[in-house]
């Protein structure tokens, strides 16, 4: 992504940091919760009172949500446009060191 102004910088930085600190750990957490729900209830419907039922209706649904979250995070950080994690600091340096940009 090319950062042209302060708004672009804020969006790009927040999205990248959100992927690193929320989506990737959240996917790992969902896979762990799905394993615990599977051990207790199997792949059937989860009971209404269980905390895992707030996430999805079954352990398989929670597992698929976790796998999706991890795959999207890894794709964004390492594969999309050469890996946004690798280009994040390069883009920040270009933005702050660019003398041609008006304030």
């Amino acid at each position: 992504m090319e950062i042209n102004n302060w708004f672009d910088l804020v969006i790009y930085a927040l999205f990248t940091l959100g992927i690193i600190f929320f989506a990737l750990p959240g996917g790992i957490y969902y896979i762990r919760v799905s394993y615990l729900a599977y051990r207790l209830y199997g792949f059937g419907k989860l009971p209404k009172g269980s905390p895992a039922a707030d996430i999805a209706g079954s352990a398989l649904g929670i597992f698929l949500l976790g796998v999706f979250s991890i795959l999207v995070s890894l794709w964004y950080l390492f594969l999309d446009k050469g890996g946004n994690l690798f280009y994040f600091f390069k883009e920040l340096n270009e933005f702050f060191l660019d003398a041609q940009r008006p304030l």
Side-chain angles (χ1 to χ4, degrees), residues 4-43:
N4 297 321
N5 52 36
W6 286 97
F7 184 69
D8 288 345
L9 173 71
V10 170
I11 289 175
Y12 183 59
L14 287 178
F15 189 76
T16 302
L17 294 174
I19 290 287
I20 293 170
F21 292 114
F22 293 109
L24 194 58
I28 295 168
Y29 173 75
Y30 284 150
I31 288 177
R32 181 179 172 274
V33 168
S34 73
Y35 172 72
L36 295 174
Y38 174 73
R39 282 187 41 214
L40 290 174
Y41 306 112
F43 280 130

mmCIF file of all heavy atoms in Angstrom, residues 4-43:
data_model
loop_
_atom_site.group_PDB
_atom_site.id
_atom_site.type_symbol
_atom_site.label_atom_id
_atom_site.label_comp_id
_atom_site.label_asym_id
_atom_site.label_seq_id
_atom_site.Cartn_x
_atom_site.Cartn_y
_atom_site.Cartn_z
ATOM 1 N N ASN A 4 -0.062 8.082 1.253
ATOM 2 C CA ASN A 4 -0.007 9.415 0.658
ATOM 3 C C ASN A 4 -0.252 10.541 1.650
ATOM 4 O O ASN A 4 0.201 11.652 1.445
ATOM 5 C CB ASN A 4 -1.029 9.531 -0.475
ATOM 6 C CG ASN A 4 -0.719 8.583 -1.596
ATOM 7 O OD1 ASN A 4 0.444 8.392 -1.940
ATOM 8 N ND2 ASN A 4 -1.747 7.979 -2.161
ATOM 9 N N ASN A 5 -1.032 10.277 2.692
ATOM 10 C CA ASN A 5 -1.350 11.334 3.657
ATOM 11 C C ASN A 5 -1.497 10.715 5.041
ATOM 12 O O ASN A 5 -1.335 9.512 5.220
ATOM 13 C CB ASN A 5 -2.612 12.096 3.244
ATOM 14 C CG ASN A 5 -3.775 11.176 2.977
ATOM 15 O OD1 ASN A 5 -3.937 10.167 3.646
ATOM 16 N ND2 ASN A 5 -4.588 11.517 1.989
ATOM 17 N N TRP A 6 -1.798 11.559 6.025
ATOM 18 C CA TRP A 6 -1.897 11.091 7.408
ATOM 19 C C TRP A 6 -3.046 10.105 7.588
ATOM 20 O O TRP A 6 -2.948 9.168 8.392
ATOM 21 C CB TRP A 6 -2.057 12.275 8.352
ATOM 22 C CG TRP A 6 -0.787 13.025 8.522
ATOM 23 C CD1 TRP A 6 -0.410 14.155 7.867
ATOM 24 C CD2 TRP A 6 0.297 12.684 9.376
ATOM 25 N NE1 TRP A 6 0.846 14.546 8.267
ATOM 26 C CE2 TRP A 6 1.304 13.651 9.201
ATOM 27 C CE3 TRP A 6 0.521 11.651 10.278
ATOM 28 C CZ2 TRP A 6 2.513 13.608 9.890
ATOM 29 C CZ3 TRP A 6 1.720 11.612 10.962
ATOM 30 C CH2 TRP A 6 2.696 12.581 10.769
ATOM 31 N N PHE A 7 -4.130 10.286 6.872
ATOM 32 C CA PHE A 7 -5.263 9.370 6.964
ATOM 33 C C PHE A 7 -4.863 7.974 6.497
ATOM 34 O O PHE A 7 -5.183 6.975 7.152
ATOM 35 C CB PHE A 7 -6.432 9.920 6.135
ATOM 36 C CG PHE A 7 -7.675 9.104 6.243
ATOM 37 C CD1 PHE A 7 -8.399 9.067 7.420
ATOM 38 C CD2 PHE A 7 -8.123 8.360 5.162
ATOM 39 C CE1 PHE A 7 -9.557 8.314 7.519
ATOM 40 C CE2 PHE A 7 -9.270 7.605 5.251
ATOM 41 C CZ PHE A 7 -9.990 7.578 6.438
ATOM 42 N N ASP A 8 -4.147 7.884 5.379
ATOM 43 C CA ASP A 8 -3.650 6.598 4.898
ATOM 44 C C ASP A 8 -2.714 5.953 5.905
ATOM 45 O O ASP A 8 -2.749 4.739 6.115
ATOM 46 C CB ASP A 8 -2.903 6.758 3.574
ATOM 47 C CG ASP A 8 -3.816 7.047 2.406
ATOM 48 O OD1 ASP A 8 -5.036 6.849 2.545
ATOM 49 O OD2 ASP A 8 -3.303 7.482 1.358
ATOM 50 N N LEU A 9 -1.875 6.769 6.517
ATOM 51 C CA LEU A 9 -0.937 6.252 7.511
ATOM 52 C C LEU A 9 -1.672 5.629 8.689
ATOM 53 O O LEU A 9 -1.338 4.523 9.124
ATOM 54 C CB LEU A 9 -0.019 7.377 8.003
ATOM 55 C CG LEU A 9 0.894 7.019 9.172
ATOM 56 C CD1 LEU A 9 1.985 6.074 8.729
ATOM 57 C CD2 LEU A 9 1.474 8.265 9.793
ATOM 58 N N VAL A 10 -2.674 6.314 9.193
ATOM 59 C CA VAL A 10 -3.421 5.810 10.348
ATOM 60 C C VAL A 10 -4.156 4.522 9.993
ATOM 61 O O VAL A 10 -4.111 3.541 10.751
ATOM 62 C CB VAL A 10 -4.396 6.890 10.869
ATOM 63 C CG1 VAL A 10 -5.357 6.318 11.893
ATOM 64 C CG2 VAL A 10 -3.617 8.053 11.460
ATOM 65 N N ILE A 11 -4.799 4.491 8.841
ATOM 66 C CA ILE A 11 -5.535 3.288 8.436
ATOM 67 C C ILE A 11 -4.585 2.104 8.256
ATOM 68 O O ILE A 11 -4.833 1.005 8.758
ATOM 69 C CB ILE A 11 -6.327 3.545 7.142
ATOM 70 C CG1 ILE A 11 -7.491 4.477 7.430
ATOM 71 C CG2 ILE A 11 -6.838 2.244 6.542
ATOM 72 C CD1 ILE A 11 -8.257 4.876 6.198
ATOM 73 N N TYR A 12 -3.495 2.316 7.550
ATOM 74 C CA TYR A 12 -2.539 1.241 7.278
ATOM 75 C C TYR A 12 -1.902 0.733 8.561
ATOM 76 O O TYR A 12 -1.783 -0.481 8.776
ATOM 77 C CB TYR A 12 -1.473 1.750 6.302
ATOM 78 C CG TYR A 12 -0.457 0.730 5.876
ATOM 79 C CD1 TYR A 12 -0.840 -0.442 5.241
ATOM 80 C CD2 TYR A 12 0.894 0.944 6.083
ATOM 81 C CE1 TYR A 12 0.095 -1.367 4.832
ATOM 82 C CE2 TYR A 12 1.839 0.025 5.676
ATOM 83 C CZ TYR A 12 1.430 -1.128 5.055
ATOM 84 O OH TYR A 12 2.360 -2.049 4.656
ATOM 85 N N ALA A 13 -1.494 1.643 9.432
ATOM 86 C CA ALA A 13 -0.850 1.242 10.680
ATOM 87 C C ALA A 13 -1.829 0.502 11.596
ATOM 88 O O ALA A 13 -1.488 -0.551 12.151
ATOM 89 C CB ALA A 13 -0.275 2.459 11.389
ATOM 90 N N LEU A 14 -3.032 1.027 11.758
ATOM 91 C CA LEU A 14 -4.006 0.368 12.628
ATOM 92 C C LEU A 14 -4.407 -1.001 12.098
ATOM 93 O O LEU A 14 -4.559 -1.956 12.867
ATOM 94 C CB LEU A 14 -5.238 1.255 12.813
ATOM 95 C CG LEU A 14 -5.060 2.466 13.707
ATOM 96 C CD1 LEU A 14 -6.344 3.279 13.757
ATOM 97 C CD2 LEU A 14 -4.647 2.044 15.106
ATOM 98 N N PHE A 15 -4.585 -1.117 10.780
ATOM 99 C CA PHE A 15 -4.974 -2.402 10.214
ATOM 100 C C PHE A 15 -3.851 -3.431 10.374
ATOM 101 O O PHE A 15 -4.099 -4.568 10.781
ATOM 102 C CB PHE A 15 -5.345 -2.244 8.741
ATOM 103 C CG PHE A 15 -5.948 -3.487 8.155
ATOM 104 C CD1 PHE A 15 -7.251 -3.828 8.440
ATOM 105 C CD2 PHE A 15 -5.207 -4.309 7.325
ATOM 106 C CE1 PHE A 15 -7.821 -4.981 7.916
ATOM 107 C CE2 PHE A 15 -5.762 -5.456 6.797
ATOM 108 C CZ PHE A 15 -7.072 -5.790 7.093
ATOM 109 N N THR A 16 -2.619 -3.034 10.084
ATOM 110 C CA THR A 16 -1.498 -3.964 10.217
ATOM 111 C C THR A 16 -1.292 -4.375 11.667
ATOM 112 O O THR A 16 -1.104 -5.565 11.966
ATOM 113 C CB THR A 16 -0.212 -3.337 9.643
ATOM 114 O OG1 THR A 16 -0.441 -2.991 8.279
ATOM 115 C CG2 THR A 16 0.948 -4.305 9.720
ATOM 116 N N LEU A 17 -1.328 -3.437 12.575
ATOM 117 C CA LEU A 17 -1.175 -3.764 13.984
ATOM 118 C C LEU A 17 -2.351 -4.588 14.505
ATOM 119 O O LEU A 17 -2.174 -5.462 15.357
ATOM 120 C CB LEU A 17 -0.995 -2.492 14.805
ATOM 121 C CG LEU A 17 0.303 -1.724 14.532
ATOM 122 C CD1 LEU A 17 0.311 -0.413 15.295
ATOM 123 C CD2 LEU A 17 1.516 -2.564 14.877
ATOM 124 N N GLY A 18 -3.550 -4.318 13.993
ATOM 125 C CA GLY A 18 -4.713 -5.128 14.370
ATOM 126 C C GLY A 18 -4.580 -6.569 13.925
ATOM 127 O O GLY A 18 -4.945 -7.492 14.657
ATOM 128 N N ILE A 19 -4.044 -6.778 12.733
ATOM 129 C CA ILE A 19 -3.814 -8.146 12.254
ATOM 130 C C ILE A 19 -2.798 -8.845 13.148
ATOM 131 O O ILE A 19 -2.980 -10.000 13.536
ATOM 132 C CB ILE A 19 -3.327 -8.137 10.785
ATOM 133 C CG1 ILE A 19 -4.432 -7.710 9.837
ATOM 134 C CG2 ILE A 19 -2.766 -9.480 10.366
ATOM 135 C CD1 ILE A 19 -5.516 -8.738 9.632
ATOM 136 N N ILE A 20 -1.714 -8.138 13.494
ATOM 137 C CA ILE A 20 -0.651 -8.742 14.303
ATOM 138 C C ILE A 20 -1.129 -9.051 15.717
ATOM 139 O O ILE A 20 -0.874 -10.134 16.252
ATOM 140 C CB ILE A 20 0.583 -7.821 14.348
ATOM 141 C CG1 ILE A 20 1.223 -7.731 12.967
ATOM 142 C CG2 ILE A 20 1.602 -8.314 15.368
ATOM 143 C CD1 ILE A 20 2.295 -6.669 12.848
ATOM 144 N N PHE A 21 -1.824 -8.105 16.349
ATOM 145 C CA PHE A 21 -2.142 -8.240 17.765
ATOM 146 C C PHE A 21 -3.546 -8.771 18.069
ATOM 147 O O PHE A 21 -3.816 -9.141 19.212
ATOM 148 C CB PHE A 21 -1.944 -6.899 18.479
ATOM 149 C CG PHE A 21 -0.511 -6.485 18.553
ATOM 150 C CD1 PHE A 21 -0.070 -5.372 17.871
ATOM 151 C CD2 PHE A 21 0.400 -7.221 19.280
ATOM 152 C CE1 PHE A 21 1.252 -4.983 17.928
ATOM 153 C CE2 PHE A 21 1.723 -6.850 19.343
ATOM 154 C CZ PHE A 21 2.157 -5.727 18.667
ATOM 155 N N PHE A 22 -4.456 -8.808 17.071
ATOM 156 C CA PHE A 22 -5.806 -9.291 17.341
ATOM 157 C C PHE A 22 -6.198 -10.491 16.488
ATOM 158 O O PHE A 22 -6.692 -11.482 17.009
ATOM 159 C CB PHE A 22 -6.831 -8.164 17.161
ATOM 160 C CG PHE A 22 -6.696 -7.076 18.182
ATOM 161 C CD1 PHE A 22 -6.208 -5.839 17.829
ATOM 162 C CD2 PHE A 22 -7.032 -7.294 19.500
ATOM 163 C CE1 PHE A 22 -6.062 -4.836 18.762
ATOM 164 C CE2 PHE A 22 -6.892 -6.311 20.451
ATOM 165 C CZ PHE A 22 -6.405 -5.070 20.092
ATOM 166 N N ALA A 23 -6.014 -10.408 15.186
ATOM 167 C CA ALA A 23 -6.495 -11.476 14.307
ATOM 168 C C ALA A 23 -5.682 -12.760 14.455
ATOM 169 O O ALA A 23 -6.251 -13.844 14.570
ATOM 170 C CB ALA A 23 -6.487 -11.005 12.851
ATOM 171 N N LEU A 24 -4.372 -12.653 14.465
ATOM 172 C CA LEU A 24 -3.530 -13.844 14.576
ATOM 173 C C LEU A 24 -3.675 -14.522 15.941
ATOM 174 O O LEU A 24 -3.954 -15.718 16.007
ATOM 175 C CB LEU A 24 -2.078 -13.479 14.273
ATOM 176 C CG LEU A 24 -1.109 -14.615 14.027
ATOM 177 C CD1 LEU A 24 -1.575 -15.482 12.862
ATOM 178 C CD2 LEU A 24 0.273 -14.068 13.726
ATOM 179 N N PRO A 25 -3.547 -13.795 17.060
ATOM 180 C CA PRO A 25 -3.786 -14.441 18.352
ATOM 181 C C PRO A 25 -5.233 -14.891 18.533
ATOM 182 O O PRO A 25 -5.497 -15.907 19.183
ATOM 183 C CB PRO A 25 -3.438 -13.374 19.382
ATOM 184 C CG PRO A 25 -2.601 -12.397 18.674
ATOM 185 C CD PRO A 25 -3.031 -12.440 17.244
ATOM 186 N N GLY A 26 -6.177 -14.152 17.948
ATOM 187 C CA GLY A 26 -7.579 -14.563 18.035
ATOM 188 C C GLY A 26 -7.822 -15.885 17.335
ATOM 189 O O GLY A 26 -8.585 -16.722 17.823
ATOM 190 N N GLY A 27 -7.193 -16.102 16.203
ATOM 191 C CA GLY A 27 -7.319 -17.380 15.500
ATOM 192 C C GLY A 27 -6.765 -18.530 16.319
ATOM 193 O O GLY A 27 -7.356 -19.613 16.378
ATOM 194 N N ILE A 28 -5.637 -18.299 16.964
ATOM 195 C CA ILE A 28 -5.052 -19.335 17.830
ATOM 196 C C ILE A 28 -5.982 -19.618 19.004
ATOM 197 O O ILE A 28 -6.212 -20.779 19.373
ATOM 198 C CB ILE A 28 -3.659 -18.895 18.309
ATOM 199 C CG1 ILE A 28 -2.708 -18.803 17.110
ATOM 200 C CG2 ILE A 28 -3.113 -19.838 19.360
ATOM 201 C CD1 ILE A 28 -1.406 -18.106 17.414
ATOM 202 N N TYR A 29 -6.553 -18.581 19.578
ATOM 203 C CA TYR A 29 -7.493 -18.744 20.698
ATOM 204 C C TYR A 29 -8.739 -19.529 20.260
ATOM 205 O O TYR A 29 -9.192 -20.418 20.980
ATOM 206 C CB TYR A 29 -7.885 -17.373 21.236
ATOM 207 C CG TYR A 29 -8.970 -17.420 22.280
ATOM 208 C CD1 TYR A 29 -8.698 -17.844 23.567
ATOM 209 C CD2 TYR A 29 -10.273 -17.049 21.965
ATOM 210 C CE1 TYR A 29 -9.693 -17.901 24.523
ATOM 211 C CE2 TYR A 29 -11.276 -17.097 22.912
ATOM 212 C CZ TYR A 29 -10.975 -17.527 24.188
ATOM 213 O OH TYR A 29 -11.968 -17.585 25.124
ATOM 214 N N TYR A 30 -9.275 -19.215 19.086
ATOM 215 C CA TYR A 30 -10.462 -19.923 18.613
ATOM 216 C C TYR A 30 -10.187 -21.392 18.354
ATOM 217 O O TYR A 30 -11.032 -22.248 18.619
ATOM 218 C CB TYR A 30 -11.018 -19.275 17.346
ATOM 219 C CG TYR A 30 -11.769 -17.989 17.605
ATOM 220 C CD1 TYR A 30 -11.797 -16.984 16.660
ATOM 221 C CD2 TYR A 30 -12.454 -17.777 18.790
ATOM 222 C CE1 TYR A 30 -12.481 -15.804 16.883
ATOM 223 C CE2 TYR A 30 -13.133 -16.606 19.023
ATOM 224 C CZ TYR A 30 -13.145 -15.626 18.075
ATOM 225 O OH TYR A 30 -13.824 -14.466 18.296
ATOM 226 N N ILE A 31 -9.005 -21.713 17.857
ATOM 227 C CA ILE A 31 -8.663 -23.119 17.649
ATOM 228 C C ILE A 31 -8.559 -23.833 18.997
ATOM 229 O O ILE A 31 -9.027 -24.971 19.143
ATOM 230 C CB ILE A 31 -7.377 -23.248 16.815
ATOM 231 C CG1 ILE A 31 -7.671 -22.853 15.370
ATOM 232 C CG2 ILE A 31 -6.822 -24.663 16.877
ATOM 233 C CD1 ILE A 31 -6.484 -22.866 14.464
ATOM 234 N N ARG A 32 -7.995 -23.178 19.981
ATOM 235 C CA ARG A 32 -7.914 -23.769 21.321
ATOM 236 C C ARG A 32 -9.316 -23.963 21.921
ATOM 237 O O ARG A 32 -9.618 -25.007 22.491
ATOM 238 C CB ARG A 32 -7.076 -22.870 22.231
ATOM 239 C CG ARG A 32 -6.914 -23.422 23.616
ATOM 240 C CD ARG A 32 -6.051 -22.509 24.477
ATOM 241 N NE ARG A 32 -6.057 -22.964 25.839
ATOM 242 C CZ ARG A 32 -6.963 -22.633 26.742
ATOM 243 N NH1 ARG A 32 -7.932 -21.822 26.419
ATOM 244 N NH2 ARG A 32 -6.901 -23.097 27.967
ATOM 245 N N VAL A 33 -10.163 -22.966 21.794
ATOM 246 C CA VAL A 33 -11.529 -23.080 22.316
ATOM 247 C C VAL A 33 -12.285 -24.185 21.592
ATOM 248 O O VAL A 33 -13.043 -24.942 22.207
ATOM 249 C CB VAL A 33 -12.270 -21.728 22.201
ATOM 250 C CG1 VAL A 33 -13.754 -21.886 22.447
ATOM 251 C CG2 VAL A 33 -11.683 -20.733 23.173
ATOM 252 N N SER A 34 -12.076 -24.319 20.285
ATOM 253 C CA SER A 34 -12.772 -25.379 19.542
ATOM 254 C C SER A 34 -12.320 -26.748 20.005
ATOM 255 O O SER A 34 -13.116 -27.678 20.087
ATOM 256 C CB SER A 34 -12.544 -25.223 18.037
ATOM 257 O OG SER A 34 -11.227 -25.580 17.684
ATOM 258 N N TYR A 35 -11.030 -26.900 20.338
ATOM 259 C CA TYR A 35 -10.543 -28.176 20.851
ATOM 260 C C TYR A 35 -11.193 -28.500 22.192
ATOM 261 O O TYR A 35 -11.643 -29.634 22.424
ATOM 262 C CB TYR A 35 -9.017 -28.145 20.982
ATOM 263 C CG TYR A 35 -8.462 -29.357 21.672
ATOM 264 C CD1 TYR A 35 -8.449 -30.586 21.029
ATOM 265 C CD2 TYR A 35 -7.972 -29.285 22.972
ATOM 266 C CE1 TYR A 35 -7.954 -31.710 21.668
ATOM 267 C CE2 TYR A 35 -7.479 -30.393 23.612
ATOM 268 C CZ TYR A 35 -7.466 -31.606 22.956
ATOM 269 O OH TYR A 35 -6.985 -32.721 23.593
ATOM 270 N N LEU A 36 -11.275 -27.503 23.076
ATOM 271 C CA LEU A 36 -11.907 -27.725 24.378
ATOM 272 C C LEU A 36 -13.399 -28.031 24.224
ATOM 273 O O LEU A 36 -13.937 -28.903 24.915
ATOM 274 C CB LEU A 36 -11.702 -26.510 25.275
ATOM 275 C CG LEU A 36 -10.247 -26.211 25.666
ATOM 276 C CD1 LEU A 36 -10.169 -24.906 26.439
ATOM 277 C CD2 LEU A 36 -9.669 -27.350 26.461
ATOM 278 N N ALA A 37 -14.073 -27.321 23.319
ATOM 279 C CA ALA A 37 -15.504 -27.579 23.091
ATOM 280 C C ALA A 37 -15.712 -28.967 22.481
ATOM 281 O O ALA A 37 -16.678 -29.656 22.811
ATOM 282 C CB ALA A 37 -16.090 -26.504 22.177
ATOM 283 N N TYR A 38 -14.814 -29.383 21.614
ATOM 284 C CA TYR A 38 -14.918 -30.717 21.017
ATOM 285 C C TYR A 38 -14.741 -31.799 22.072
ATOM 286 O O TYR A 38 -15.457 -32.801 22.061
ATOM 287 C CB TYR A 38 -13.883 -30.887 19.907
ATOM 288 C CG TYR A 38 -13.841 -32.284 19.356
ATOM 289 C CD1 TYR A 38 -14.866 -32.748 18.547
ATOM 290 C CD2 TYR A 38 -12.804 -33.146 19.669
ATOM 291 C CE1 TYR A 38 -14.855 -34.036 18.052
ATOM 292 C CE2 TYR A 38 -12.779 -34.433 19.180
ATOM 293 C CZ TYR A 38 -13.805 -34.876 18.373
ATOM 294 O OH TYR A 38 -13.795 -36.149 17.900
ATOM 295 N N ARG A 39 -13.802 -31.583 22.996
ATOM 296 C CA ARG A 39 -13.592 -32.572 24.055
ATOM 297 C C ARG A 39 -14.819 -32.695 24.952
ATOM 298 O O ARG A 39 -15.135 -33.789 25.431
ATOM 299 C CB ARG A 39 -12.378 -32.207 24.890
ATOM 300 C CG ARG A 39 -11.079 -32.567 24.206
ATOM 301 C CD ARG A 39 -9.850 -32.367 25.055
ATOM 302 N NE ARG A 39 -10.016 -32.771 26.424
ATOM 303 C CZ ARG A 39 -9.434 -32.168 27.452
ATOM 304 N NH1 ARG A 39 -8.660 -31.125 27.246
ATOM 305 N NH2 ARG A 39 -9.612 -32.595 28.682
ATOM 306 N N LEU A 40 -15.506 -31.586 25.188
ATOM 307 C CA LEU A 40 -16.666 -31.625 26.081
ATOM 308 C C LEU A 40 -17.947 -32.055 25.376
ATOM 309 O O LEU A 40 -18.740 -32.822 25.925
ATOM 310 C CB LEU A 40 -16.877 -30.250 26.720
ATOM 311 C CG LEU A 40 -15.832 -29.811 27.742
ATOM 312 C CD1 LEU A 40 -16.100 -28.385 28.179
ATOM 313 C CD2 LEU A 40 -15.844 -30.748 28.932
ATOM 314 N N TYR A 41 -18.180 -31.543 24.137
ATOM 315 C CA TYR A 41 -19.475 -31.722 23.498
ATOM 316 C C TYR A 41 -19.421 -32.444 22.155
ATOM 317 O O TYR A 41 -20.472 -32.701 21.571
ATOM 318 C CB TYR A 41 -20.147 -30.355 23.284
ATOM 319 C CG TYR A 41 -20.240 -29.538 24.542
ATOM 320 C CD1 TYR A 41 -19.491 -28.377 24.681
ATOM 321 C CD2 TYR A 41 -21.056 -29.926 25.596
ATOM 322 C CE1 TYR A 41 -19.552 -27.620 25.824
ATOM 323 C CE2 TYR A 41 -21.122 -29.175 26.748
ATOM 324 C CZ TYR A 41 -20.370 -28.026 26.863
ATOM 325 O OH TYR A 41 -20.436 -27.285 28.011
ATOM 326 N N GLY A 42 -18.262 -32.709 21.627
ATOM 327 C CA GLY A 42 -18.164 -33.308 20.299
ATOM 328 C C GLY A 42 -18.485 -32.273 19.228
ATOM 329 O O GLY A 42 -18.451 -31.071 19.470
ATOM 330 N N PHE A 43 -18.791 -32.755 18.014
ATOM 331 C CA PHE A 43 -19.092 -31.827 16.924
ATOM 332 C C PHE A 43 -20.570 -31.464 16.852
ATOM 333 O O PHE A 43 -21.005 -30.798 15.930
ATOM 334 C CB PHE A 43 -18.651 -32.408 15.575
ATOM 335 C CG PHE A 43 -17.185 -32.261 15.317
ATOM 336 C CD1 PHE A 43 -16.427 -33.343 14.919
ATOM 337 C CD2 PHE A 43 -16.556 -31.039 15.471
ATOM 338 C CE1 PHE A 43 -15.080 -33.210 14.675
ATOM 339 C CE2 PHE A 43 -15.201 -30.890 15.241
ATOM 340 C CZ PHE A 43 -14.474 -31.987 14.845
#
